[in-house]
Short mmCIF file of all heavy atoms in Angstrom, two decimals:
data_model
loop_
_atom_site.label_atom_id
_atom_site.label_comp_id
_atom_site.label_asym_id
_atom_site.label_seq_id
_atom_site.Cartn_x
_atom_site.Cartn_y
_atom_site.Cartn_z
N GLY A 91 -22.28 12.73 6.58
CA GLY A 91 -22.59 13.24 7.90
C GLY A 91 -24.02 12.95 8.32
O GLY A 91 -24.55 13.57 9.23
N ARG A 92 -24.65 11.99 7.63
CA ARG A 92 -26.04 11.65 7.90
C ARG A 92 -26.17 10.17 8.23
O ARG A 92 -25.42 9.35 7.71
CB ARG A 92 -26.90 11.96 6.68
CG ARG A 92 -26.75 13.37 6.14
CD ARG A 92 -27.32 13.51 4.75
NE ARG A 92 -28.76 13.69 4.77
CZ ARG A 92 -29.52 13.62 3.68
NH1 ARG A 92 -28.98 13.32 2.51
NH2 ARG A 92 -30.82 13.83 3.77
N HIS A 93 -27.12 9.84 9.09
CA HIS A 93 -27.38 8.44 9.39
C HIS A 93 -27.94 7.72 8.15
O HIS A 93 -28.41 8.36 7.20
CB HIS A 93 -28.37 8.32 10.56
CG HIS A 93 -27.75 8.60 11.89
ND1 HIS A 93 -26.85 7.74 12.48
CD2 HIS A 93 -27.88 9.66 12.74
CE1 HIS A 93 -26.47 8.24 13.65
NE2 HIS A 93 -27.07 9.41 13.82
N SER A 94 -27.88 6.40 8.20
CA SER A 94 -28.23 5.59 7.03
C SER A 94 -29.66 5.81 6.55
O SER A 94 -29.93 5.82 5.34
CB SER A 94 -28.03 4.10 7.34
OG SER A 94 -26.68 3.85 7.65
N HIS A 95 -30.59 5.99 7.48
CA HIS A 95 -31.98 6.18 7.05
C HIS A 95 -32.17 7.51 6.34
O HIS A 95 -33.16 7.71 5.64
CB HIS A 95 -32.93 6.06 8.26
CG HIS A 95 -32.82 7.18 9.24
ND1 HIS A 95 -31.73 7.33 10.07
CD2 HIS A 95 -33.66 8.22 9.51
CE1 HIS A 95 -31.90 8.40 10.83
NE2 HIS A 95 -33.06 8.96 10.51
N MET A 96 -31.19 8.42 6.50
CA MET A 96 -31.27 9.71 5.82
C MET A 96 -30.45 9.74 4.52
O MET A 96 -30.88 10.34 3.53
CB MET A 96 -30.77 10.82 6.76
CG MET A 96 -31.67 11.05 7.97
SD MET A 96 -33.34 11.56 7.51
CE MET A 96 -33.02 13.18 6.81
N ASN A 97 -29.30 9.07 4.53
CA ASN A 97 -28.50 9.08 3.29
C ASN A 97 -28.94 7.98 2.31
O ASN A 97 -28.52 7.98 1.16
CB ASN A 97 -26.99 9.00 3.59
CG ASN A 97 -26.55 7.66 4.18
OD1 ASN A 97 -26.89 6.60 3.67
ND2 ASN A 97 -25.78 7.72 5.26
N GLY A 98 -29.77 7.03 2.79
CA GLY A 98 -30.39 6.06 1.89
C GLY A 98 -29.56 4.82 1.57
O GLY A 98 -30.01 3.96 0.84
N TYR A 99 -28.36 4.72 2.17
CA TYR A 99 -27.50 3.57 1.84
C TYR A 99 -27.44 2.67 3.06
O TYR A 99 -26.69 2.92 4.01
CB TYR A 99 -26.11 4.06 1.45
CG TYR A 99 -25.31 3.01 0.70
CD1 TYR A 99 -25.59 2.71 -0.63
CD2 TYR A 99 -24.28 2.32 1.32
CE1 TYR A 99 -24.87 1.76 -1.33
CE2 TYR A 99 -23.55 1.36 0.63
CZ TYR A 99 -23.85 1.08 -0.68
OH TYR A 99 -23.13 0.13 -1.37
N LEU A 100 -28.22 1.58 3.03
CA LEU A 100 -28.43 0.76 4.21
C LEU A 100 -27.59 -0.51 4.25
O LEU A 100 -27.28 -1.01 5.32
CB LEU A 100 -29.91 0.37 4.31
CG LEU A 100 -30.92 1.52 4.31
CD1 LEU A 100 -32.33 0.96 4.35
CD2 LEU A 100 -30.67 2.44 5.50
N PHE A 101 -27.24 -1.06 3.08
CA PHE A 101 -26.56 -2.35 3.02
C PHE A 101 -25.41 -2.29 2.01
O PHE A 101 -25.35 -1.39 1.17
CB PHE A 101 -27.53 -3.46 2.62
CG PHE A 101 -28.75 -3.54 3.48
CD1 PHE A 101 -29.96 -3.02 3.04
CD2 PHE A 101 -28.70 -4.13 4.73
CE1 PHE A 101 -31.10 -3.09 3.83
CE2 PHE A 101 -29.83 -4.19 5.53
CZ PHE A 101 -31.03 -3.67 5.08
N ASN A 102 -24.54 -3.28 2.08
CA ASN A 102 -23.43 -3.33 1.13
C ASN A 102 -23.88 -3.76 -0.26
O ASN A 102 -23.41 -3.25 -1.26
CB ASN A 102 -22.36 -4.32 1.62
CG ASN A 102 -21.44 -3.72 2.65
OD1 ASN A 102 -21.16 -2.53 2.63
ND2 ASN A 102 -20.98 -4.54 3.59
N GLU A 103 -24.79 -4.72 -0.31
CA GLU A 103 -25.18 -5.30 -1.59
C GLU A 103 -26.70 -5.42 -1.70
O GLU A 103 -27.41 -5.39 -0.69
CB GLU A 103 -24.56 -6.70 -1.75
CG GLU A 103 -23.03 -6.69 -1.70
CD GLU A 103 -22.46 -8.10 -1.74
OE1 GLU A 103 -23.24 -9.05 -1.77
OE2 GLU A 103 -21.22 -8.23 -1.73
N HIS A 104 -27.16 -5.56 -2.95
CA HIS A 104 -28.58 -5.79 -3.22
C HIS A 104 -29.45 -4.72 -2.57
O HIS A 104 -30.48 -5.00 -1.97
CB HIS A 104 -29.00 -7.17 -2.72
CG HIS A 104 -28.05 -8.25 -3.10
ND1 HIS A 104 -27.60 -8.44 -4.40
CD2 HIS A 104 -27.41 -9.20 -2.37
CE1 HIS A 104 -26.76 -9.46 -4.44
NE2 HIS A 104 -26.62 -9.93 -3.22
N ALA A 105 -29.00 -3.48 -2.67
CA ALA A 105 -29.72 -2.38 -2.06
C ALA A 105 -29.80 -1.21 -3.03
O ALA A 105 -29.26 -1.25 -4.14
CB ALA A 105 -29.02 -1.95 -0.77
N ALA A 106 -30.50 -0.16 -2.60
CA ALA A 106 -30.57 1.04 -3.43
C ALA A 106 -29.15 1.59 -3.60
O ALA A 106 -28.36 1.58 -2.66
CB ALA A 106 -31.46 2.07 -2.75
N PRO A 107 -28.81 2.06 -4.79
CA PRO A 107 -27.46 2.59 -5.00
C PRO A 107 -27.22 3.84 -4.17
O PRO A 107 -28.16 4.55 -3.79
CB PRO A 107 -27.45 2.91 -6.50
CG PRO A 107 -28.88 3.11 -6.87
CD PRO A 107 -29.65 2.16 -6.00
#
Side-chain angles (χ1 to χ4, degrees):
R92 307 165 81 192
H93 284 290
S94 299
H95 69 288
M96 294 299 293
N97 68 49
Y99 198 75
L100 305 178
F101 306 101
N102 279 328
E103 301 175 358
H104 314 309

